[in-house]
Every structure is written in structure tokens, then in C-alpha cells.
């Protein structure tokens, strides 16, 4: 009898694996993790207590409809409940959107480099990735993206601000782009870092969704809201996209702890957004310091900065780690560094200064 292994779908071959940000070292000198764009602050007191209380009933399945959270979100954004869908992080919802729209023979367009989950979830679906290079300034090239649309295109991701470059697209150019995209192509505005934006010319995707039935907005509790470990994100979309999200959701995917912590975070928003404000100040401090040292830093509206280092990326990342901060290198391209606590940012600024002198 010949041994054969279970047959797997051919599309899984060569799939890039998602690289999580490297954790900080345990033991030895203190290192800070600036590799995953997390919020460095511990959970707010009220949020923590709510989560602990919710943990008391984890022998039960969670509320499958996420009722309290959905109501809170519907109120806050002024959208009907039927236009909302929660999921296991916004990556989970993004995967549902690809599953619901795209299969073999279809095309999914996104900028590159952008969020590394896009190629993975596209390839799993069997659709083809159409990667449109960022401009010289590391910004989405929306004209080229619109040019790339064919009758096979089913979905387009616009990551605003873009991970890992932090750059944004502004209102006029985004509207012009959306005018060019056929109304039967879904445009997903991935706004994972929305709360860190200070540029008034960057549009709120929810306002755009109201006027455009083919636009869907993705938001998450993982970044500004500091709940990365609880896995909860959501989409705002018109029918029939919202209905497709209900069909493709993993039943009971969002835990009760996550649901209740998300509601508590929304209710503690003033304090939470105060922390986000401090991170924005730190971001501006880091960018200024790097520019003073002579680095070219694209303007960032997120909680991270991007340095296009090319061949020197791996060396600089190793140097940062030795100095006490773990960063996120993309070998041969550049390095993304999350804005963390002031001490961590100080270490990074110092490391950048030293490394630059040795160039
Ligand atoms: C971090 C991030 C997300 C959010 O991921 P979750 O699954 O919600 O934790 C989504 N999109 C982008 C571009 C991100 O950087």
C-alpha cells in the first residue's frame, strides 16, 4: 500500500506565512517591543475589571450576535445594525470579505508594500493578487491602482494610513479614485490606525461609506484601543456585503471577554484617546529627531515610523535590538518602528543616531 498524504488545495503552496512582530527578550537587560504596532499602555482600570468579570463565565459560549457591542457601535457611528459586522480582529473580517467576493480567476488589488495579511488571505481564496507599487514617497498610487482594475477585479484594499509606511491618502484623491472604480468592485478602506490621524484632509471612511454602496470600512480594537490580545474588529458595509459577512463569520468567533472589553473601552474613550494623544506627541518627537539626524522619514499618521534602509535594514534592526528595542525589519526594504513608551522611543532615537554616524 503506498503512503499518500491528505490532499490539500494547490493554492496553499508557497503562501507567505504571517510574520508576527518579534517579542521583547525575556531575562537580561530590559528590551521594549516596538515590532507590532501595539498600544504600550496596560489596559485601563475599568476595562480590565470588566474583562476579568466576563472571564467568570467562559464555560458558556459568547453572545453570538455581539448585541451590546453592535448596539454601541451602531449608536456611535449612526449606522444601522444590519450594516455592522464584528469578527476576530479586523484581519478576520478582511479574510471574510475576500472569501465572500473572490475566488479562482478573480483579482484582488492592493498597494505594495502594504499590510502583509493581504497577500495571504488573497492567496488562500484562490484569487490572484495584483500588487501596485507605492509611489516614490511610499504613498498609495491610486491612479495606478485604478488603472489596474479589470473585469476580473473583485476587491481593492486601501490601507489608510498604510502599514508599514504610515503614509495616507487624502480626501480629494480618494474620491477621484472611487469615482473611477466600477460600482460592482468592493473597495475596503482599512482604517486600523484611524485614531492616530491628525491631518484633517484625511477622510473618515465612514463618511465615504454613507455615500458609496461599494465601500466597506474596517476598524479594529487592536491598536489605539489596546485590545490586540482579545481579537475584535468590525466592518461597516452596505447590503449585500454586510449580509455576506454574516454568512462567512465563524460562529462565536468573538469571545465574551472581547465583546465586553470592547464596550468598556468605548465607554472609557476619553481616557483612551488621551493616551492616543500622548502617542501622537511621541510620534512627532521621534520623526523630528530622526529628521534632525538626517534620515528621510515619510510623513506618518499612524503609531509607527518607516525607514527605507534597503540593504542595511537587517543590520540596523539587529543594532536596535542590541540597544534594547525590538523593531520590525522587512529585509532589503525597510524597517517599521512602533511608537512606544517614551523610554523605548529614546532608546530608538539614540540607536538611530549612533547607527547613522557609522554609515
Ligand atoms: C494591525 C492591523 C489590522 C488589525 O488587525 P486585528 O486583526 O484587528 O488585530 C488591520 N489592518 C492593518 C493594516 C493593520 O496594521
Amino acid at each position: 500500500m503506498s503512503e499518500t498524504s491528505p490532499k490539500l488545495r494547490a493554492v496553499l503552496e508557497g503562501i507567505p506565512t504571517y510574520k508576527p512582530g518579534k517579542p521583547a527578550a525575556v531575562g537580561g537587560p530590559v528590551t521594549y517591543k516596538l515590532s507590532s504596532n501595539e498600544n504600550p499602555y496596560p489596559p485601563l482600570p475599568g476595562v480590565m475589571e470588566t474583562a476579568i468579570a466576563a472571564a467568570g463565565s467562559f464555560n458558556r459560549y459568547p453572545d453570538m450576535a455581539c448585541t451590546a457591542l453592535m448596539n454601541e457601535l451602531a449608536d456611535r457611528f449612526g449606522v444601522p445594525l444590519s450594516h455592522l459586522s464584528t469578527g476576530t480582529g479586523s484581519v478576520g473580517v478582511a479574510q471574510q470579505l475576500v472569501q465572500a467576493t473572490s475566488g479562482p480567476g478573480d483579482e484582488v488589488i492592493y498597494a505594495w508594500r502594504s499590510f502583509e495579511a493581504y497577500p495571504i488571505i488573497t492567496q488562500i481564496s484562490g484569487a490572484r493578487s495584483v500588487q501596485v507599487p507605492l509611489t516614490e514617497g511610499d504613498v498609495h498610487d491610486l491612479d495606478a491602482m485604478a488603472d489596474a482594475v479589470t473585469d476580473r477585479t473583485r476587491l481593492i484594499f486601501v490601507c489608510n494610513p498604510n502599514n508599514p509606511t504610515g503614509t495616507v491618502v487624502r480626501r480629494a484623491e480618494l474620491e477621484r479614485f472611487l469615482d473611477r472604480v466600477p460600482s460592482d468592485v468592493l473597495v475596503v478602506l482599512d482604517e486600523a490606525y484611524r485614531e492616530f490621524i491628525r491631518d484633517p484632509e484625511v477622510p473618515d471612511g465612514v463618511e465615504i461609506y454613507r455615500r458609496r454602496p461599494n465601500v466597506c470600512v474596517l476598524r479594529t480594537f487592536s491598536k489605539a484601543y489596546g485590545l490586540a490580545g482579545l481579537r475584535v474588529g468590525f466592518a461597516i458595509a452596505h447590503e449585500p456585503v454586510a449580509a455576506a459577512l454574516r454568512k462567512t463569520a465563524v460562529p462565536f468567533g468573538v469571545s465574551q471577554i472581547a465583546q465586553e472589553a470592547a464596550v468598556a473601552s468605548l465607554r472609557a474613550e476619553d481616557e483612551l484617546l488621551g493616551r492616543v494623544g500622548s502617542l501622537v506627541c511621541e510620534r512627532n518627537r521621534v520623526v523630528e529627531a530622526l529628521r534632525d539626524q538626517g534620515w528621510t522619514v515619510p510623513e506618518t499618521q499612524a503609531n509607527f515610523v518607516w525607514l527605507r534602509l534597503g540593504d542595511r535594514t537587517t543590520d540596523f534592526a539587529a543594532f536596535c535590538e542590541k540597544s534594547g528595542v525590538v523593531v520590525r525589519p522587512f529585509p532589503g526594504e525597510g524597517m517599521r518602528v512602533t511608537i512606544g513608551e517614551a523610554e523605548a522611543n529614546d532608546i530608538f532615537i539614540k540607536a538611530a543616531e549612533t547607527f547613522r554616524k557609522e554609515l
Side-chain angles (χ1 to χ4, degrees), residues 18 21 24 63 75 81 95 104 116 132 139 179 181 204 211 230 244 251 253 265 332 335 339 347 350:
Y18 190 99
D63 171 6
D75 257 15
L81 276 174
Q95 177 151 29
E116 66 177 314
V132 178
V139 180
D179 285 341
V181 175
D204 177 343
R211 289 176 287 105
L230 289 180
S265 300
M335 204 171 93
I339 302 301
I347 294 173
K350 186 87 202 312

Side-chain angles (χ1 to χ4, degrees), residues 88-92 115 118 159 163 190 192-193 220 222-223 231-233:
T88 53
S90 53
V91 173
F115 187 31
Y118 301 154
C159 190
N163 177 2
D190 185 345
Y193 302 95
T220 180
S222 296
K223 307 289 160 57
R231 313 306 303 127
V232 53

Side-chain angles (χ1 to χ4, degrees), residues 42-57:
L44 286 173
V47 175
M48 183 72 131
E49 279 143 25
T50 304
I52 290 169
S57 59

